[in-house]
Amino acid sequence: MTGTAKERPGGPAIILVEPQLGENIGMVARAMANFGLGELRLVNPRDGWPNEKAVAAASRADHVVEAAKLFDTLDEAVADLNYVLATTARERDGFKPVLGPVDATAELRRRFDGSHKTGIMFGRERFGLYNEEIARADAIVTFPVSPDYASLNIAQAVLLMAYEWMKSGLDHASQTAFEGPEFPPAERHQLQGLVDHLDAALSARGYFRPPSKKPKMLDSLQAVLTRPGFTEPEIRVLRGIVASLDRFTPDKPRGASASDGEGDKD
């Protein structure tokens, strides 16, 4: 054994069994870093280790590459783990439970929260894991891919599992790390100000014809403007547009007068 596996970072260990290309290892490290995983274990990589191509492909996930542990055999790589999953896209004979990524990461999360040491095995680029390697796992993870093209490269498979791992720790499945600014809905008087502004502008242009239909037309206009739930900044934008149209005439284009303001206020 040429590495140790005593550290317990914040998530399951990602175990690559005989990966072939350094570039693929680097892309795996990048996928892990994207979703907060940091423990990478390599079993007998074909092109040796360390590998400069892995560093180049990691795209600033150097901390994952540099902390990777090297093992001579799969048995050594999983020796300290309490629960191990094996990923495969092919149907296998045997008695292992088969899980989808969502159920698999939920089980990983449950065990991890109970201080179990966990890991996920990924096989070779060309043909994945041997049956005897899968036999060392507690369960199989398979992805809901198209049966017409079920092949995933290592980085894709790791990305899917890392993504589901992060989701399993969120309060809500739709939660994201980034949120847009909060805009409270406009107050009723601001919306009414827009309606009144439009009423004056449209009346000046003879929009309400015949005049007897104006009340119903205004009711329809108010219903249309109420539905979107405009915010105060959006009301200001619309008021500015209407004010700009009010100021425009063929012989007096917008901006001709220095006294023109941005828009009417309530």
Coordinates of all heavy atoms in Angstrom, one line a residue, residues 182-228:
E182 N -34.2 40.3 -3.6 CA -35.6 40.3 -3.3 C -36.3 41.6 -3.6 O -35.8 42.7 -3.2 CB -35.8 39.9 -1.8 CG -35.4 38.5 -1.4 CD -35.8 38.2 0.0 OE1 -36.6 39.0 0.7 OE2 -35.4 37.1 0.5
F183 N -37.4 41.5 -4.4 CA -38.1 42.7 -4.7 C -39.5 42.6 -4.1 O -40.3 41.7 -4.6 CB -38.2 42.9 -6.2 CG -36.9 43.3 -6.8 CD1 -36.2 42.3 -7.7 CD2 -36.2 44.5 -6.6 CE1 -35.0 42.6 -8.3 CE2 -35.0 44.8 -7.2 CZ -34.4 43.8 -8.0
P184 N -39.9 43.3 -3.1 CA -41.3 43.2 -2.6 C -42.3 43.6 -3.6 O -42.0 44.5 -4.4 CB -41.3 44.1 -1.4 CG -40.1 45.1 -1.6 CD -39.1 44.3 -2.4
P185 N -43.5 43.1 -3.6 CA -44.5 43.5 -4.5 C -44.8 45.0 -4.4 O -44.8 45.5 -3.3 CB -45.7 42.6 -4.2 CG -45.1 41.5 -3.4 CD -43.9 42.0 -2.7
A186 N -45.2 45.6 -5.4 CA -45.6 47.0 -5.4 C -46.9 47.2 -4.5 O -47.7 46.3 -4.4 CB -45.9 47.6 -6.8
E187 N -46.9 48.3 -3.8 CA -48.1 48.6 -3.1 C -49.3 49.0 -4.0 O -49.1 49.4 -5.1 CB -47.8 49.7 -2.1 CG -46.8 49.4 -1.1 CD -46.4 50.5 -0.1 OE1 -46.9 51.6 -0.3 OE2 -45.5 50.3 0.7
R188 N -50.5 48.8 -3.4 CA -51.7 49.0 -4.3 C -51.7 50.5 -4.9 O -52.1 50.6 -6.0 CB -53.0 48.8 -3.5 CG -53.2 47.4 -3.0 CD -53.5 46.5 -4.2 NE -52.3 45.8 -4.7 CZ -52.2 45.1 -5.7 NH1 -53.3 44.8 -6.5 NH2 -51.1 44.5 -6.1
H189 N -51.3 51.5 -4.1 CA -51.4 52.8 -4.6 C -50.4 53.0 -5.8 O -50.7 53.8 -6.7 CB -51.1 53.8 -3.5 CG -49.7 53.9 -3.0 ND1 -48.8 54.8 -3.6 CD2 -49.0 53.2 -2.1 CE1 -47.6 54.6 -3.1 NE2 -47.7 53.7 -2.1
Q190 N -49.3 52.3 -5.8 CA -48.4 52.4 -6.9 C -48.9 51.8 -8.1 O -48.8 52.3 -9.2 CB -47.0 51.7 -6.5 CG -46.3 52.4 -5.4 CD -45.2 51.6 -4.8 OE1 -45.2 50.3 -4.8 NE2 -44.2 52.2 -4.2
L191 N -49.6 50.6 -8.0 CA -50.3 50.0 -9.2 C -51.4 50.9 -9.7 O -51.6 51.1 -10.9 CB -50.8 48.7 -8.8 CG -51.5 47.9 -9.9 CD1 -50.5 47.6 -11.1 CD2 -52.0 46.5 -9.4
Q192 N -52.2 51.5 -8.7 CA -53.2 52.4 -9.1 C -52.7 53.6 -9.8 O -53.3 54.1 -10.8 CB -54.1 52.8 -7.9 CG -55.4 53.5 -8.3 CD -56.3 52.7 -9.2 OE1 -56.5 51.6 -9.0 NE2 -56.7 53.3 -10.3
G193 N -51.5 54.1 -9.4 CA -50.9 55.2 -10.1 C -50.6 54.9 -11.5 O -50.7 55.7 -12.4
L194 N -50.1 53.7 -11.8 CA -49.8 53.3 -13.1 C -51.1 53.2 -14.0 O -51.2 53.7 -15.1 CB -49.1 51.9 -13.1 CG -48.9 51.2 -14.5 CD1 -48.1 52.1 -15.4 CD2 -48.3 49.9 -14.4
V195 N -52.2 52.7 -13.4 CA -53.5 52.6 -14.1 C -54.0 54.0 -14.4 O -54.4 54.3 -15.6 CB -54.5 51.8 -13.3 CG1 -55.9 51.9 -13.9 CG2 -54.1 50.3 -13.1
D196 N -53.9 54.9 -13.4 CA -54.4 56.3 -13.7 C -53.5 56.9 -14.7 O -54.0 57.7 -15.6 CB -54.3 57.1 -12.4 CG -55.3 56.6 -11.3 OD1 -56.3 55.8 -11.7 OD2 -55.1 56.9 -10.2
H197 N -52.2 56.7 -14.7 CA -51.3 57.3 -15.7 C -51.7 56.8 -17.1 O -51.8 57.6 -18.1 CB -49.9 56.9 -15.3 CG -48.9 57.7 -16.1 ND1 -47.5 57.7 -15.7 CD2 -48.9 58.5 -17.1 CE1 -46.8 58.5 -16.5 NE2 -47.7 59.0 -17.4
L198 N -51.9 55.5 -17.2 CA -52.3 54.9 -18.5 C -53.7 55.5 -19.0 O -53.9 55.7 -20.1 CB -52.3 53.4 -18.4 CG -51.0 52.7 -18.5 CD1 -51.1 51.2 -18.2 CD2 -50.4 52.9 -19.9
D199 N -54.6 55.6 -18.0 CA -55.9 56.2 -18.3 C -55.8 57.5 -18.9 O -56.4 57.8 -20.0 CB -56.7 56.2 -17.0 CG -58.1 56.8 -17.2 OD1 -58.5 57.1 -18.4 OD2 -58.8 57.0 -16.2
A200 N -55.0 58.4 -18.3 CA -54.8 59.8 -18.9 C -54.2 59.7 -20.2 O -54.6 60.4 -21.2 CB -54.0 60.6 -17.9
A201 N -53.1 58.9 -20.4 CA -52.4 58.8 -21.7 C -53.3 58.3 -22.8 O -53.3 58.8 -23.9 CB -51.1 58.0 -21.5
L202 N -54.0 57.2 -22.5 CA -54.9 56.6 -23.5 C -56.1 57.5 -23.8 O -56.5 57.6 -25.0 CB -55.3 55.2 -23.0 CG -54.2 54.2 -22.9 CD1 -54.8 52.9 -22.2 CD2 -53.6 53.8 -24.2
S203 N -56.6 58.2 -22.8 CA -57.8 59.1 -23.1 C -57.3 60.2 -24.0 O -58.1 60.6 -24.9 CB -58.3 59.7 -21.7 OG -58.8 58.6 -20.9
A204 N -56.1 60.7 -23.8 CA -55.6 61.8 -24.7 C -55.5 61.4 -26.1 O -55.5 62.2 -27.0 CB -54.3 62.3 -24.1
R205 N -55.3 60.1 -26.3 CA -55.2 59.6 -27.7 C -56.4 58.9 -28.2 O -56.4 58.3 -29.3 CB -54.0 58.6 -27.7 CG -52.7 59.2 -27.5 CD -51.6 58.3 -27.0 NE -50.3 58.9 -26.9 CZ -49.9 59.7 -25.9 NH1 -50.8 60.0 -24.9 NH2 -48.7 60.3 -25.9
G206 N -57.6 59.1 -27.5 CA -58.8 58.6 -28.0 C -58.9 57.0 -28.0 O -59.6 56.5 -28.9
Y207 N -58.2 56.4 -27.1 CA -58.2 54.9 -27.1 C -59.6 54.4 -26.7 O -60.0 53.3 -27.2 CB -57.2 54.5 -26.1 CG -57.2 53.0 -25.8 CD1 -56.6 52.1 -26.8 CD2 -57.7 52.4 -24.7 CE1 -56.6 50.7 -26.6 CE2 -57.7 51.1 -24.5 CZ -57.2 50.2 -25.4 OH -57.2 48.9 -25.2
F208 N -60.3 55.0 -25.7 CA -61.5 54.5 -25.2 C -62.7 54.9 -26.1 O -63.2 56.0 -26.0 CB -61.8 55.0 -23.8 CG -60.7 54.6 -22.8 CD1 -59.8 55.6 -22.3 CD2 -60.5 53.3 -22.4 CE1 -58.8 55.2 -21.5 CE2 -59.5 52.9 -21.5 CZ -58.7 53.9 -21.0
R209 N -63.0 54.0 -27.0 CA -64.1 54.2 -28.0 C -65.0 53.0 -28.0 O -64.5 51.9 -28.2 CB -63.6 54.5 -29.4 CG -62.7 55.8 -29.5 CD -62.4 56.1 -30.9 NE -61.8 55.1 -31.6 CZ -60.5 54.9 -31.7 NH1 -59.7 55.8 -31.1 NH2 -59.9 53.9 -32.3
P210 N -66.3 53.2 -27.9 CA -67.0 54.4 -27.6 C -66.8 54.8 -26.1 O -66.5 53.9 -25.3 CB -68.5 54.1 -27.9 CG -68.6 52.7 -27.7 CD -67.3 52.1 -28.1
P211 N -67.0 56.0 -25.7 CA -66.8 56.4 -24.3 C -67.5 55.6 -23.3 O -67.1 55.4 -22.1 CB -67.2 57.9 -24.3 CG -67.0 58.3 -25.7 CD -67.3 57.2 -26.5
S212 N -68.7 55.1 -23.7 CA -69.5 54.3 -22.7 C -68.9 53.0 -22.3 O -69.2 52.4 -21.2 CB -70.9 54.0 -23.4 OG -70.7 53.2 -24.6
K213 N -67.9 52.5 -23.1 CA -67.2 51.3 -22.7 C -66.0 51.5 -21.9 O -65.3 50.5 -21.5 CB -66.8 50.5 -24.0 CG -68.0 50.0 -24.7 CD -67.6 49.0 -25.9 CE -68.8 48.4 -26.5 NZ -68.4 47.5 -27.6
K214 N -65.7 52.8 -21.6 CA -64.4 53.0 -20.9 C -64.3 52.3 -19.5 O -63.3 51.8 -19.2 CB -64.3 54.6 -20.7 CG -63.0 54.9 -19.9 CD -62.8 56.4 -19.8 CE -61.6 56.7 -19.0 NZ -61.3 58.2 -18.9
P215 N -65.4 52.4 -18.7 CA -65.3 51.7 -17.4 C -64.9 50.2 -17.5 O -64.0 49.7 -16.7 CB -66.7 51.9 -16.7 CG -67.2 53.1 -17.4 CD -66.7 53.1 -18.8
K216 N -65.5 49.5 -18.4 CA -65.2 48.1 -18.5 C -63.8 47.9 -19.1 O -63.1 47.0 -18.7 CB -66.2 47.4 -19.5 CG -66.0 45.9 -19.6 CD -67.1 45.2 -20.2 CE -66.9 43.7 -20.3 NZ -66.7 43.1 -19.0
M217 N -63.4 48.8 -20.0 CA -62.0 48.7 -20.6 C -61.0 48.9 -19.5 O -60.0 48.3 -19.4 CB -61.9 49.6 -21.8 CG -62.8 49.3 -22.9 SD -62.8 50.5 -24.2 CE -61.2 50.2 -25.0
L218 N -61.3 49.9 -18.6 CA -60.4 50.2 -17.5 C -60.3 49.0 -16.5 O -59.2 48.7 -16.0 CB -60.8 51.4 -16.8 CG -60.3 52.8 -17.4 CD1 -60.9 53.9 -16.6 CD2 -58.8 52.9 -17.4
D219 N -61.4 48.3 -16.3 CA -61.5 47.2 -15.4 C -60.6 46.1 -16.0 O -59.8 45.4 -15.3 CB -62.9 46.6 -15.3 CG -63.7 47.5 -14.4 OD1 -63.1 48.3 -13.6 OD2 -65.0 47.4 -14.4
S220 N -60.7 45.9 -17.3 CA -59.8 44.8 -18.0 C -58.4 45.2 -17.9 O -57.5 44.3 -17.7 CB -60.3 44.7 -19.5 OG -61.6 44.3 -19.6
L221 N -58.1 46.5 -18.1 CA -56.7 46.9 -18.0 C -56.1 46.7 -16.6 O -55.0 46.2 -16.5 CB -56.6 48.4 -18.4 CG -55.2 49.1 -18.3 CD1 -54.2 48.4 -19.3 CD2 -55.3 50.6 -18.6
Q222 N -56.9 47.0 -15.6 CA -56.4 46.8 -14.3 C -56.2 45.3 -14.0 O -55.3 45.0 -13.3 CB -57.5 47.4 -13.3 CG -57.0 47.4 -11.8 CD -57.4 48.6 -11.1 OE1 -58.3 49.3 -11.5 NE2 -56.8 48.9 -10.0
A223 N -57.1 44.5 -14.5 CA -57.0 43.0 -14.3 C -55.7 42.5 -14.9 O -54.9 41.7 -14.3 CB -58.1 42.3 -14.9
V224 N -55.4 43.0 -16.1 CA -54.1 42.6 -16.8 C -52.9 43.1 -16.0 O -51.9 42.3 -15.9 CB -54.1 43.2 -18.2 CG1 -52.7 43.0 -18.9 CG2 -55.1 42.6 -19.1
L225 N -52.9 44.3 -15.5 CA -51.8 44.8 -14.8 C -51.6 44.3 -13.4 O -50.5 44.3 -12.8 CB -51.8 46.4 -14.7 CG -51.8 47.1 -16.1 CD1 -52.0 48.6 -15.9 CD2 -50.4 46.9 -16.7
T226 N -52.7 43.8 -12.8 CA -52.6 43.2 -11.5 C -52.0 41.8 -11.5 O -51.3 41.4 -10.6 CB -54.0 43.2 -10.8 OG1 -54.5 44.5 -10.8 CG2 -53.9 42.7 -9.4
R227 N -52.3 41.0 -12.5 CA -51.9 39.6 -12.6 C -50.4 39.4 -12.4 O -50.0 38.5 -11.7 CB -52.4 39.0 -13.9 CG -52.1 37.5 -13.9 CD -52.6 36.9 -15.3 NE -54.1 37.1 -15.4 CZ -54.7 36.8 -16.5 NH1 -54.1 36.4 -17.6 NH2 -56.0 37.0 -16.6
P228 N -49.5 40.1 -13.1 CA -48.1 39.8 -12.9 C -47.5 40.0 -11.6 O -46.4 39.5 -11.3 CB -47.4 40.7 -14.0 CG -48.5 41.2 -14.9 CD -49.7 41.2 -14.0

